[in-house]
Amino acid sequence: MLSRVADSLYWMARYIERAENNSRILDVNLQVTLDDENTGVDGDKIDWEPILASLEDQKLFNSLYEVTNADTVCEFVTFAKENPNSIRSSVAAARENARTVREYISSEMWERINGLYLWLNSPAARQMFASSAIDFFRHVVDCSHQFHGTTAATLTHGEGWHFLQIGKYLERADSTSRILDLKYHILLPRGEEVGGNVDTIQWQAVLKSCSAFEAYRKIHTGQVTPWSVAEFILLHDSFPRSIRFCVEGVDAALHRISGCERGHFCTDAERLSGRLCSDLNFTRIADVFKIGLHEYLDGIQLRLIEISSAMHSKYCEWMEPAGGQEQQQA
């Protein structure tokens, strides 16, 4: 497969997943803030600054908006053209990558991406956002699910499919790690009681941001605890949004592309993904908390970047103008 095509497929999947993840985060935070006791300007900052911190967009946001509240943060993360990671910008980038590889993807895939792009830029999207932002974000998530389902049903599961899987799972693992770190490192107020009502609500919000609440409850029927939530989101071997599951998906796709058996490696990307898989497979949550959850998640994010860079160096480098095809990484 041409490097240009592999690169476009990889980024198309990442951008669609990024739009979905941003929608999830905003949806859940809107619901949580409806019932909290934070009021006024300071309360708005407490509620919404952590979202910007988790997305690493604070500096750009502050250059565009004077106040931090639900309206400005949702507008920035949803529609702002100046924000390359906004939902609208992400879908536009996914559509552009899809446009360059129209001959390699199915017409149904193109229709899903193009339809979402056109809707986001239509008055109907603005009207839904104004009347019910929660319904708006859930619609974006549904459209992402429809795209992934259409892709699985209409695209040959060859090399192109595997590059799509790598992009999707790398973006998902990165987003999941940021959502978990957001609660543990930033959202926890000073003096808050671990296991208290506020703490429990916030950990439930973490699960809901990953669509993990119902799956978690099928395994853990007691009180929602930080260690059980972290273990489920980090280390569960069959939940499709856990970091372990996503890294397994990346490693499997890399090996299918190269033809090398899993457990061995013939590229640097496979070596890095295999090591991360092994670490996650044999790590206990007690070991993670001993290191420090924030520090552990920071390490995971750096290793995901290393895998992405190694994969790109091996398969996706192609002749291009300086800065012409550089994509935005979270």
Side-chain angles (χ1 to χ4, degrees):
M1 174 170 285
L2 293 174
S3 296
R4 175 186 61 81
V5 175
D7 187 57
S8 293
L9 292 171
Y10 168 81
W11 281 106
M12 177 176 64
R14 285 204 73 156
Y15 280 125
I16 287 292
E17 186 69 24
R18 188 170 302 177
E20 177 186 339
N21 290 329
N22 286 350
S23 297
R24 289 173 179 278
I25 292 171
L26 293 175
D27 175 15
V28 172
N29 208 58
L30 279 171
Q31 294 184 65
V32 170
T33 55
L34 289 174
D35 298 322
D36 68 20
E37 299 177 355
N38 298 324
T39 58
V41 175
D42 292 337
D44 286 336
K45 285 187 175 182
I46 292 172
D47 286 337
W48 291 98
E49 279 190 343
I51 302 298
L52 299 171
S54 71
L55 301 176
E56 298 185 353
D57 286 328
Q58 280 179 302
K59 186 175 180 180
L60 177 59
F61 175 86
N62 291 334
S63 70
L64 298 172
Y65 301 92
E66 295 182 358
V67 296
T68 303
N69 56 35
D71 291 337
T72 55
V73 173
C74 285
E75 174 70 23
F76 175 73
V77 179
T78 305
F79 288 111
K81 292 182 179 179
E82 300 88 349
N83 177 11
N85 293 316
S86 71
I87 293 170
R88 181 160 65 177
S89 295
S90 295
V91 172
R95 179 181 181 271
E96 178 61 21
N97 279 286
R99 186 190 62 80
T100 64
V101 290
R102 282 288 303 274
E103 68 275 20
Y104 289 93
I105 65 176
S106 68
S107 58
E108 291 90 349
M109 291 170 63
W110 169 254
E111 288 168 4
R112 289 296 181 189
I113 288 183
N114 193 47
L116 177 57
Y117 169 80
L118 293 174
W119 178 77
L120 282 170
N121 288 277
S122 71
R126 278 290 187 179
Q127 291 170 5
M128 179 182 286
F129 183 76
S131 62
S132 176
I134 290 175
D135 287 342
F136 174 93
F137 295 129
R138 290 181 179 177
H139 180 72
V140 175
V141 171
D142 287 343
C143 288
S144 175
H145 288 173
Q146 291 166 10
F147 170 76
H148 290 310
T150 299
T151 302
T154 63
L155 185 68
T156 302
H157 289 202
E159 280 191 350
W161 163 263
H162 297 314
F163 280 109
L164 285 167
Q165 296 302 102
I166 294 170
K168 177 180 74 174
Y169 282 127
L170 277 176
E171 185 68 30
R172 185 176 294 179
D174 180 78
S175 176
T176 299
S177 70
R178 292 175 186 277
I179 290 170
L180 188 56
D181 192 35
L182 172 70
K183 167 64 184 84
Y184 189 82
H185 189 64
I186 302 172
L187 280 180
L188 191 66
R190 292 181 182 178
E192 180 186 322
E193 180 186 356
V194 175
N197 289 334
V198 174
D199 187 56
T200 299
I201 290 171
Q202 289 181 353
W203 281 108
Q204 289 176 350
V206 169
L207 289 167
K208 291 177 181 177
S209 294
C210 301
S211 288
F213 185 73
E214 291 183 5
Y216 171 88
R217 275 304 188 192
K218 287 179 171 63
I219 298 173
H220 302 279
T221 57
Q223 183 179 8
V224 175
T225 60
W227 44 90
S228 62
V229 172
E231 181 177 35
F232 186 82
I233 293 177
L234 262 173
L235 304 176
H236 200 278
D237 62 350
S238 57
F239 179 66
R241 302 194 74 87
S242 76
I243 294 175
R244 179 180 174 184
F245 186 97
C246 292
V247 174
E248 287 279 352
V250 171
D251 187 63
L254 285 169
H255 281 82
R256 290 191 183 105
I257 291 170
S258 70
C260 180
E261 291 185 14
R262 294 193 70 186
H264 304 273
F265 66 89
C266 57
T267 70
D268 202 36
E270 291 170 4
R271 179 182 63 83
L272 293 168
S273 65
R275 287 183 61 183
L276 183 52
C277 277
S278 179
D279 288 348
L280 291 168
N281 287 340
F282 293 99
T283 293
R284 300 174 304 173
I285 196 62
D287 300 326
V288 172
F289 276 88
K290 187 178 296 184
I291 296 170
L293 184 57
H294 171 66
E295 290 75 15
Y296 187 83
L297 292 170
D298 266 357
I300 291 287
Q301 290 166 16
L302 291 174
R303 294 174 75 172
L304 293 172
I305 292 171
E306 290 177 346
I307 294 169
S308 177
S309 298
M311 187 281 299
H312 190 274
S313 297
K314 175 63 179 178
Y315 296 113
C316 299
E317 288 186 346
W318 49 288
M319 296 302 294
E320 60 190 39
Q325 182 65 13
E326 183 178 355
Q327 305 272 9
Q328 181 77 21
Q329 283 200 55

